[in-house]
Amino acid sequence: MRTPLAEELGLEFPIFALTHCRDVVVEVCRAGGMGVFGVAAHSAGGLEAELRWIEERIGDRPYGVDLLLPTKFAGSDRGGFDASQLDALIPETHRKFLDDLLSQHGVPPLPEGAAVGDAFSVGLDSQRDVIEMLFEHPISLIASALGPPPGWMIETGRSKGVKVAALAGTVEHARRHAEAGADIVVAQGYEAGGHTGTVSTMVLVPEVVDAIDPIPVLAAGGIGNGRQLTASLALGAQGVWCGSVWLTTEEAETHPVVKEKFLAAGSSDTVRSRSLTGKPARQLRSAWTDAWEDAANPDPLPMPLQPRLTREYQARINRTAHNNEGARQLANYFVGQIVGSMNHVKSVRSVMEEFAVEYADTMERLDGFTPE
Ligand SMILES: Cc1cc2nc3c(=O)[nH]c(=O)nc-3n(C[C@H](O)[C@H](O)[C@H](O)COP(=O)(O)O)c2cc1C
C-alpha cells in the first residue's frame, strides 16, 4: 500500500486520521498512519500542551495539524467582528427559541460558573498567531479547511519542509487550492462527517485527480474500511483521509451517549445541517437537528454567530445527556454516513489493522478477476 506520497511522508500506510482527540493522533501514528490533530476546538493556550503531549508519545513519527480557515463568514468582507459586536448580532428570537427548546426537553440550566468551552474564532488575523505557533512544532503537514491556505502559510510550509494540504468539496475548490500552491488536496465528498458539500466521493475524487494532476489527492468521505481504501486508490487518490471512523474507537473522547447513538445508527441517520456551526455540516440526526429543520423555527445564523449562540446550550445538553432523556434526544455530533458501519467499539490499532488486511484481501480478489 505504499503510495509515493506515503513514501515521501515516511508512512507505513497512506491513512490520514483527522481527529480532535490527542490519543487517536498518537495511536494512528504508532500504527503507521498519520494522525492529524484538528485544532479548531482547542484554545490557543491549551494547544501547545496538547502538541507536546503528542510529540512525547510518537517519537519521530510524522504527524499533522488542521485548522478551519473559512473564506466566508459573518463580516468577512470587513475582516470580521470583535467579540462584543458578534454578541450584539445574535437576535433575541434565536436565544428564545433555544431557551424554549431546552426547557421543553427538561434540560436544566448550567450551574453557576460552569465552563462552556472556548468561543469559535475565525478570520486570518486572529488565527495567524496560532498558525505561527503550529509551525514552531515538528509537524509534517498542516491542512486548511473551508478556504485555501494563504500565501504566507504555503511559503512558511515550503521553508520548513511542512506539506500544506487543503480540503475541497468541489473541483473548483481543488483548482483554487492548486493555484494557491497547496502540496496536497483532500477531495472530500458529500458522505463525509463535518462540513461537506453536495458532490459524492465517487464522483469528486477522480474529477479532482484529473483536474490538478500531478498534485497528490487524498480521498475523504465515507471511507471506513479496506474495500473503500482500495476503491480510493483505484480512483487515483494517493491515500485516504478519515474522520468518522475514529469516533467510536476506545481511545476517542466522544461523549458516551453520542458514542452509543453512533453505534446504533444506520447510514441514513445523518443530516447536513447548519445548526452547529452555521455552515452545512453532516451530523447525526437528533431532536436538535429536527428542531432547526422545522420551518416554524428560526434559520441558523452564519458562522461564527451560530456556534457562539449554541455553545452554552450544547454544554447544557452534553452535561446532562447521561441521565436526562430530553437531553439524550437532543444530543448529537458530527459524523458521516459511514456511521452505519460503525457498530462495535474497537481500538484505533485494530481499525488500522482491519484496513490493511481488507486491502490485501481485496487486491487478491481483484487480481483473481484478471485472466491468466
Ligand atoms: C467529528 C468530526 C470533526 C471534524 N472536524 C474537522 C475539522 O476541524 N477540520 C477539518 O478539516 N475537517 C473536519 N472534519 C472533516 C474531516 O476532515 C474529514 O474530511 C471527514 O470526516 C471525512 O469523511 P468521513 O467522516 O466519512 O471519514 C470533521 C469530521 C468529523 C466527523
Side-chain angles (χ1 to χ4, degrees):
M1 224 198 290
R2 288 265 167 86
T3 64
L5 180 65
E7 293 258 317
E8 205 184 332
L9 286 166
L11 302 173
E12 202 177 328
F13 301 113
I15 299 174
F16 295 72
L18 186 288
T19 172
H20 297 275
C21 300
R22 60 185 192 173
D23 298 80
V24 174
V25 173
V26 167
E27 287 307 308
V28 169
C29 292
R30 282 181 176 161
M34 181 181 281
V36 181
F37 193 51
V39 309
H42 297 267
S43 67
L47 197 51
E48 281 243 68
E50 300 279 51
L51 298 180
R52 274 199 302 272
W53 191 92
I54 292 169
E55 288 153 16
E56 280 161 16
R57 281 157 185 80
I58 60 172
D60 54 9
R61 289 176 185 273
Y63 84 104
V65 292
D66 166 284
L67 66 173
L68 304 181
L69 294 176
T71 316
K72 291 192 196 130
F73 51 90
S76 50
D77 50 346
R78 42 168 288 176
F81 293 110
D82 66 30
S84 62
Q85 289 169 317
L86 285 172
D87 286 334
L89 285 167
I90 297 177
E92 218 26 65
T93 44
H94 283 67
R95 295 193 200 278
K96 169 138 186 12
F97 158 59
L98 285 179
D99 286 338
D100 292 348
L101 181 69
L102 268 67
S103 82
Q104 282 154 16
H105 283 79
V107 183
L110 288 176
E112 195 128 345
V116 291
D118 291 309
F120 190 86
S121 115
V122 288
L124 275 179
D125 290 343
S126 67
Q127 286 172 287
R128 190 162 180 146
D129 291 353
V130 174
I131 298 172
E132 281 169 1
M133 182 274 282
L134 294 170
F135 274 119
E136 294 304 312
H137 284 261
I139 52 172
S140 296
L141 175 144
I142 184 166
S144 101
L146 304 178
W152 54 266
M153 185 166 144
I154 301 219
E155 278 158 33
T156 314
R158 291 260 147 81
S159 71
K160 293 191 175 262
V162 176
K163 296 271 184 206
V164 178
L167 276 77
T170 63
V171 72
E172 290 78 20
H173 292 162
R175 284 202 185 97
R176 222 174 297 151
H177 296 332
E179 274 158 28
D183 300 305
I184 299 169
V185 169
V186 180
Q188 191 214 249
Y190 176 73
E191 305 89 316
H195 295 116
T196 181
T198 55
V199 185
S200 70
T201 303
M202 189 71 150
V203 169
L204 183 68
V205 173
E207 212 182 356
V208 170
V209 167
D210 292 347
I212 62 168
D213 180 60
I215 297 171
V217 174
L218 298 174
I223 298 160
N225 64 40
R227 275 169 293 161
Q228 288 154 338
L229 162 59
T230 317
S232 303
L233 300 185
L235 294 175
Q238 291 216 22
V240 293
W241 174 282
C242 310
S244 294
V245 77
W246 318 110
L247 296 170
T248 47
T249 57
E250 283 162 13
E251 293 85 351
E253 291 158 9
T254 311
H255 190 294
V257 169
V258 174
K259 208 183 226 184
E260 205 182 283
K261 285 184 155 191
F262 284 172
L263 293 168
S267 48
S268 308
D269 292 335
T270 68
V271 283
R272 250 172 109 244
S273 163
R274 292 176 49 228
S275 66
L276 287 176
T277 70
K279 286 186 185 281
R282 187 173 300 286
Q283 53 201 272
L284 192 73
R285 185 181 165 199
S286 77
W288 170 270
T289 56
D290 285 352
W292 282 102
E293 290 300 307
D294 189 335
N297 294 330
D299 284 335
L301 300 167
M303 181 181 276
L305 299 176
Q306 185 72 5
R308 210 171 173 90
L309 162 71
T310 57
R311 72 191 168 124
E312 186 187 325
Y313 298 94
Q314 282 291 317
R316 282 171 61 185
I317 294 168
N318 290 333
R319 203 180 64 82
T320 51
H322 63 287
N323 63 1
N324 175 305
E325 180 50 27
R328 208 191 74 79
Q329 287 169 9
L330 290 164
N332 83 330
Y333 193 52
F334 308 108
V335 76
Q337 294 180 340
I338 193 72
V339 72
S341 308
M342 292 156 45
N343 303 322
H344 305 283
V345 176
K346 299 171 188 169
S347 65
V348 167
R349 183 165 284 272
S350 58
V351 173
M352 292 289 289
E353 281 168 3
E354 285 175 22
F355 264 118
V357 169
E358 201 179 19
Y359 166 78
D361 290 348
T362 309
M363 289 301 284
E364 201 180 305
R365 188 162 53 84
L366 296 183
D367 233 18
F369 293 162
T370 312
E372 293 282 304

